[in-house]
């Protein structure tokens, strides 16, 4: 997509209609998750991205002026550059006579030209990029020059790993990651479970000058609090029972490279304080030692929580939040990238077949429709696991809807019994499974209820297994075991 050229700034402020009295503007920081039912812009600036929730009715001004709802801190943008008009049925964009123009899907708008926008459209105003998401939005048939932007799939090579991008929002996010990699700013990656936060962290490391040094990934949710210091800072021989030799901590082992703090929102408060001191001073003291060691590592953190809200509620240290969130990047959930669902499904299926040494498989049109209508609470990870499952179990050369687990075809077709089994249950556990006397087995009904409640708990916690288990009063180990048993989620 071409980048608009910079031209001489025009600060002319055209006359605009006043904002309606019932207009509400909601700019949400990157840590806040937008729901699938809300329309929003993914706002990408030079060193951060964020979610800007759109009102159902009203107007928004974009430009350098303090009056602007979408501020552009760039001299190439006019004071009042463009206006968005929003009602319940459409969103329209008008350029307000800017000298540098407003760009939609790589093409400039004429002065005072008004354009209707659709989900997936990319708007560029100065150095600010806006990617529109409107829930359930599709262009009307026969509307010329109005279809959302379509791009060819982009393969991003990250060392030995390849990431496929075919959604404009994700392409822009990776452009932002590439720009951020040149600096030493800490990066906070926000996204639901399975959206590819680890891939994004790998991109920051791979594009940086540190790529020849280690990338050390630390799962903060998996480190017991009593072992936190030993794991991150190291220990000396005899520091505690079982410390038979010196151990270099994870932060020090990443010297010259990058540390990826995954699930940073799960870190207990005492551990947060210890981590903050290490990041602020650049020093760590191994357990049992009195000598501090220098550390030199770039920090990339990731979470599926709203850390800003967690900090305000006292569940996350505000000073650590501000240190980690120097630059924030939002990863949209897969359900908001329907074109990418199709592309990724084909990509993962080819990989899975090649890994198993079997012939190629194709996805039927009905299967593709079922995938696009599935909410994918597990996002890209869930889709990859599904394609691995299909490659292993489908004997024919085409994947049809009957080959998919029941949760992927609910809403596309009904079960023969008139109702669908709950997510994750096998056919033997479905409502149609009955004893010779015509009654369903109590064990099957209990499993059905258990699977449903686990799915509801996962959905309500954005896939966080620990919090989901707490909500239904189930031990975490039992919860994880049953996830595999019911096929709800890979651990």
């Amino acid at each position: 997509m071409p980048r608009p050229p910079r031209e001489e700034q025009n600060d002319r402020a055209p006359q605009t209609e006043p904002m309606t009295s019932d207009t509400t503007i909601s700019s949400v920081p990157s840590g806040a998750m937008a729901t699938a039912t809300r329309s929003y812009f993914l706002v990408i600036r030079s060193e951060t991205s964020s979610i800007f929730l759109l009102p159902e009715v009203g107007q928004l001004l974009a430009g350098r002026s303090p009056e602007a709802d979408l501020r552009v801190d760039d001299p190439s943008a006019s004071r009042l550059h463009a206006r968005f008009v929003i009602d319940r049925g459409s969103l329209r964009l008008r350029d307000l006579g800017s000298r540098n123009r407003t760009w939609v899907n790589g093409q400039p708008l004429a002065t005072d030209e008004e354009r209707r926008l659709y989900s997936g459209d990319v708007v560029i105003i100065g150095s600010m990029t806006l990617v529109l998401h409107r829930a359930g939005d599709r262009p009307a048939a026969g509307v010329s020059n109005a279809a959302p932007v379509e791009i060819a799939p982009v393969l991003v090579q990250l060392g030995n790993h390849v990431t496929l991008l075919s959604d404009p929002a994700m392409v822009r996010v990776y452009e932002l990651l590439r720009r951020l990699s040149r600096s030493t700013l800490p990066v906070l990656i926000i996204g639901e479970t399975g959206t590819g936060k680890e891939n994004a962290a790998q991109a920051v490391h791979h594009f940086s000058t540190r790529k020849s040094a280690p990338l050390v990934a630390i799962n903060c949710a998996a480190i017991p609090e009593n072992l936190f210091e030993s794991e991150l800072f190291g220990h000396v021989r005899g520091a505690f029972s079982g410390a038979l030799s010196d151990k270099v901590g994870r932060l020090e082992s990443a010297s010259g490279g990058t540390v990826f703090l995954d699930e940073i929102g799960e870190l207990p408060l005492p551990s947060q304080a210890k981590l903050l001191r290490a990041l602020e001073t650049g020093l760590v003291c191994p357990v049992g030692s009195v000598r501090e060691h220098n550390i030199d590592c770039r920090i990339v953190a990731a979470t599926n929580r709203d850390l800003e809200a967690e900090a305000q509620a006292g569940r996350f240290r505000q000073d650590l939040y501000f240190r980690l969130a120097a630059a924030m990047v939002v990863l949209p959930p897969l359900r908001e990238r329907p074109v990418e669902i199709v592309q990724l499904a084909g990509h993962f299926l080819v990989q899975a077949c090649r890994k198993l040494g079997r012939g190629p498989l194709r996805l039927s049109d009905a299967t593709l429709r079922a995938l696009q209508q599935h909410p994918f609470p597990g996002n890209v990870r869930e889709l990859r696991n599904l394609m691995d499952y299909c490659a292993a179990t489908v004997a024919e050369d085409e994947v049809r809807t009957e080959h998919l687990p029941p949760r992927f075809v609910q809403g596309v077709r009904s079960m023969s019994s008139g109702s669908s089994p709950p997510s994750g249950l096998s056919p033997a556990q479905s409502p149609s499974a009955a004893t010779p006397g015509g009654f369903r087995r109590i064990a099957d009904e209990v499993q059905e209820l258990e699977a449903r409640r686990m799915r509801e708990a996962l959905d309500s916690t954005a896939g966080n297994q620990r919090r989901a288990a707490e909500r239904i009063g189930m031990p975490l180990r039992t919860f994880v075991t049953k996830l595999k048993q019911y096929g709800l989620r890979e651990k």
Side-chain angles (χ1 to χ4, degrees):
M1 187 178 301
R3 181 73 180 168
R6 288 176 174 263
E7 300 177 9
E8 183 182 349
Q9 158 68 23
N10 173 26
D11 283 342
R12 177 166 63 92
Q15 296 295 319
T16 60
E17 300 173 19
M19 300 283 285
T20 58
S21 59
D22 60 346
T23 298
T24 57
I25 306 301
S26 180
S27 180
V28 180
S30 298
M33 297 297 178
T35 65
T37 58
R38 292 295 301 271
S39 299
Y40 63 85
F41 281 127
L42 174 64
V43 184
I44 301 176
R45 296 183 170 91
S46 59
E47 291 185 344
T48 191
S49 69
S50 59
I51 295 295
F52 190 103
L53 295 180
L54 297 174
E56 292 185 352
V57 177
Q59 300 180 40
L60 302 173
L61 293 175
R64 289 191 303 110
S65 170
E67 306 170 35
D69 306 294
L70 286 160
R71 291 286 302 279
V72 188
D73 296 324
D74 181 353
S76 70
S78 299
R79 292 185 69 256
L80 295 177
H81 195 107
R83 181 177 69 230
F84 298 90
V85 179
I86 309 162
D87 61 36
R88 300 179 194 280
S90 69
L91 186 152
R92 302 186 305 278
L93 167 65
R94 181 183 292 274
D95 182 89
L96 298 178
S98 67
R99 183 68 178 273
N100 283 312
R101 318 285 286 276
T102 302
W103 294 67
V104 178
N105 299 338
Q107 301 297 322
L109 291 184
T111 300
D112 291 331
E113 176 187 355
E114 187 170 85
R115 175 80 62 86
R116 181 171 179 178
L117 301 180
Y118 294 90
S119 194
D121 282 344
V122 178
V123 178
I124 296 178
I125 299 173
S127 61
M128 180 176 70
T129 299
L130 307 172
V131 184
L132 175 64
H133 168 76
R134 284 175 65 86
D137 191 19
R138 293 291 184 272
V143 178
S144 62
N145 301 319
V149 61
E150 293 185 5
I151 61 173
V154 177
L155 292 176
V156 181
Q157 186 78 39
L158 304 174
N160 297 324
H161 178 71
V162 174
T163 295
L164 183 144
L165 309 172
S166 59
D167 178 85
M170 290 300 291
V171 171
R172 294 291 172 172
V173 162
Y174 270 74
E175 289 176 0
L176 173 61
L177 292 171
R178 186 186 292 272
R179 290 198 300 272
L180 288 173
S181 68
R182 302 169 191 153
S183 72
T184 58
L185 286 171
V187 178
L188 179 61
I189 301 169
I190 308 291
E192 295 180 7
T193 182
T195 49
K197 297 187 289 294
E198 186 170 357
N199 285 347
Q202 288 179 339
V204 173
H205 177 73
H206 179 77
F207 295 144
S208 75
T209 58
R210 295 173 174 262
K211 68 177 181 179
S212 58
L215 169 63
V216 176
I218 302 172
N219 186 345
C220 297
I223 302 177
E225 189 175 341
N226 62 330
L227 296 179
F228 177 81
E229 285 186 90
S230 174
E231 283 294 315
L232 264 67
F233 308 150
H235 63 248
V236 297
R237 179 181 177 183
F240 50 83
S241 178
L244 303 180
S245 61
D246 291 355
K247 175 184 176 180
V248 176
R250 307 290 291 278
L251 295 182
E252 193 175 354
S253 69
S255 181
T258 305
V259 170
F260 174 44
L261 299 171
D262 197 12
E263 303 294 353
I264 188 67
E266 307 302 316
L267 204 59
L269 283 168
S271 299
Q272 293 175 28
K274 297 168 185 174
L275 174 62
L276 176 63
R277 184 186 181 280
L279 298 183
E280 286 183 335
T281 63
L283 298 170
V284 296
C285 185
V287 178
S289 174
V290 294
R291 293 181 54 193
E292 292 187 318
H293 299 180
N294 289 311
I295 56 172
D296 170 27
C297 52
R298 169 82 174 274
I299 299 297
V300 180
T303 183
N304 58 15
R305 293 196 184 194
D306 181 348
L307 282 195
E308 185 174 14
E310 294 287 296
Q312 291 174 352
R315 292 186 292 268
F316 196 86
R317 289 186 66 100
Q318 200 167 48
D319 43 9
L320 179 58
Y321 166 71
F322 287 129
R323 184 158 194 90
L324 296 173
M328 293 190 289
V329 177
V330 176
L331 299 182
L334 183 61
R335 61 181 170 273
E336 295 172 5
R337 294 138 50 190
V339 173
E340 199 155 87
I341 291 175
V342 174
Q343 298 284 355
L344 285 173
H347 179 67
F348 292 149
L349 191 59
V350 168
Q351 289 183 326
C353 291
R354 187 177 298 145
K355 190 185 305 180
L356 293 175
R358 61 161 296 168
L361 274 171
R362 64 177 181 272
L363 299 166
S364 71
D365 292 342
T367 298
L368 291 174
R369 285 195 299 272
L371 295 182
Q372 288 184 305
Q373 293 178 27
H374 183 66
F376 280 103
N379 290 286
V380 178
R381 184 183 298 121
E382 182 182 2
L383 178 59
R384 182 190 292 112
N385 291 343
L386 174 64
M387 293 301 102
D388 288 343
Y389 168 83
C390 291
T393 60
V394 176
E396 296 88 349
D397 59 1
E398 182 180 66
V399 180
R400 299 186 298 277
T401 54
E402 56 263 34
H403 296 135
L404 301 177
R407 66 181 182 276
F408 289 94
V409 293
Q410 290 174 356
V412 179
R413 61 177 176 82
S414 60
M415 304 294 288
S416 58
S417 63
S419 61
S420 301
S423 173
L425 290 185
S426 66
Q429 298 168 324
S430 68
S432 59
T435 63
F439 293 96
R440 293 184 59 202
R441 295 190 308 163
I442 291 179
D444 290 344
E445 294 194 21
V446 170
Q447 289 180 329
E448 177 183 329
L449 176 61
E450 192 170 54
R452 183 182 300 119
R453 290 291 180 264
M454 291 174 67
R455 167 63 68 194
E456 291 170 352
L458 282 170
D459 291 345
S460 70
T461 59
N464 186 289
Q465 295 178 6
R466 178 179 297 175
R467 287 191 289 160
E470 290 173 353
R471 291 198 175 184
I472 61 174
M474 183 181 290
L476 178 59
R477 181 171 295 183
T478 303
F479 189 87
V480 172
T481 300
K482 289 181 178 293
L483 288 181
K484 294 182 177 181
Q485 175 185 341
Y486 296 143
L488 294 174
R489 180 76 49 81
E490 292 290 331
K491 184 176 179 181

